[in-house]
């Protein structure tokens, strides 16, 4: 009865279950492999399971198999990677690998939807951060434009007064000082903008 119950669990489990040798060659697989990846047991038995791993995930998966070859093995090894389906697409699988008595007992859940949702969330957060940066830059630009406009107004009105032929020398000197001070303020503002740009 217990054997029948275990056999039934093996057959109906939505998780990919398998047994492999220490080199990763599959010896047994349950029907979930075909349901998730569309590979039949005939396609898989005797095959190295790492051949299905996406090239970008091969290094991380290789580290797990390197641990298997150490003298002291952890009781459970975990790795997430993308595995190739029969049609060439990839699914994200979250693996538990239990080494025991010269065999690897494998269990994998399909976590593609969770990975894609996490990636979409990360992209949305990045877009939000970029949007907030652009909003801040827009506010900064508006403030700077307003400040420069005020400085230019002082310069323009001082120059207009300096063009009057009847203007006394004392007032000319005052307007020239105002222009000079305003140009200094504008240069200081420009310097602050450049320093800000370098920091960003």
């Amino acid at each position: 009865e217990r054997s029948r119950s275990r056999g039934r669990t093996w057959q109906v489990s939505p998780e990919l279950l398998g047994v492999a040798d220490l080199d990763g060659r599959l010896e047994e697989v349950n029907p979930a492999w075909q349901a998730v990846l569309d590979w039949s047991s005939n396609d898989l038995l005797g095959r190295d399971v790492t051949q299905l791993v996406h090239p970008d995930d091969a290094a991380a998966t290789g580290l797990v198999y390197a641990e298997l070859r150490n003298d002291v093995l952890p009781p459970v090894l975990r790795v997430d990677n993308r595995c190739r389906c029969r049609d060439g697409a990839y699914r994200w699988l979250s693996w538990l690998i239990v080494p025991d008595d010269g065999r690897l007992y494998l269990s994998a859940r399909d976590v593609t939807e969770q990975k894609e949702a996490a990636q979409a969330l990360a992209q949305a957060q990045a877009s939000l951060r970029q949007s907030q940066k652009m909003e801040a830059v827009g506010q900064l630009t508006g403030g700077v434009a307003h400040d420069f406009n005020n400085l230019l107004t002082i310069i323009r009105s001082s120059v207009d007064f300096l063009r009057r032929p009847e203007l006394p020398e004392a007032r000319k000197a005052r307007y020239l000082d105002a222009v000079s001070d305003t140009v200094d303020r504008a240069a200081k503002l420009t310097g602050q903008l450049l320093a800000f740009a370098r920091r960003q």
Side-chain angles (χ1 to χ4, degrees):
E1 185 61 34
R2 279 197 303 269
S3 294
R4 194 163 39 250
S5 176
R6 287 189 192 113
R8 185 83 180 131
T9 300
W10 175 271
Q11 291 296 319
V12 300
S13 173
E15 294 192 0
L16 284 70
L17 303 175
V19 180
D21 65 17
L22 290 178
D23 291 323
R25 284 190 299 274
L26 293 164
E27 297 176 352
E28 295 179 56
V29 293
N30 74 336
W33 289 76
Q34 185 148 18
V36 174
L37 301 176
D38 199 28
W39 295 108
S40 71
S41 59
N42 290 336
D43 296 324
L44 296 169
L45 295 182
R47 186 172 184 180
D48 182 350
V49 70
T50 60
Q51 293 175 352
L52 300 176
V53 174
H54 191 285
D56 292 348
D57 302 330
T61 304
L63 289 175
V64 171
Y65 277 88
E67 284 188 56
L68 290 168
R69 292 171 180 85
N70 291 341
D71 292 335
V72 181
L73 293 174
V76 179
L77 296 162
R78 299 170 190 270
V79 67
D80 286 5
N81 58 30
R82 287 162 287 181
C83 283
R84 186 166 41 85
C85 302
R86 178 186 284 280
D87 65 3
Y90 283 88
R91 306 287 299 172
W92 274 103
L93 300 178
S94 183
W95 295 88
L96 293 177
I97 304 169
V98 180
D100 186 57
D101 197 25
R103 293 280 176 277
L104 302 177
Y105 295 87
L106 312 171
S107 170
R109 281 183 305 115
D110 183 355
V111 292
T112 305
E113 288 179 10
Q114 294 93 313
K115 290 280 189 180
E116 288 173 351
Q119 185 178 10
L121 177 61
Q123 288 173 342
Q125 288 172 333
S127 294
L128 176 61
R129 281 192 298 274
Q130 184 64 22
S131 167
Q132 290 169 334
K133 285 181 188 175
M134 294 305 291
E135 182 181 356
V137 168
Q139 290 172 351
L140 174 68
T141 304
V144 169
H146 181 71
D147 288 348
F148 265 115
N149 197 36
N150 289 341
L151 297 173
L152 292 172
T153 300
I154 293 169
I155 293 170
R156 167 60 76 191
S157 59
S158 295
V159 168
D160 287 344
F161 282 121
L162 287 168
R163 285 190 173 132
R164 293 182 181 177
E166 73 283 357
L167 194 68
E169 287 302 317
R171 290 192 68 187
K172 276 186 185 178
R174 249 193 0 252
Y175 287 128
L176 285 170
D177 287 343
V179 169
S180 180
D181 290 346
T182 305
V183 168
D184 288 343
R185 285 167 54 201
K188 185 177 178 185
L189 181 58
T190 302
Q192 290 170 337
L193 280 172
L194 290 170
F196 175 79
R198 280 193 293 273
R199 281 200 306 276
Q200 297 305 308

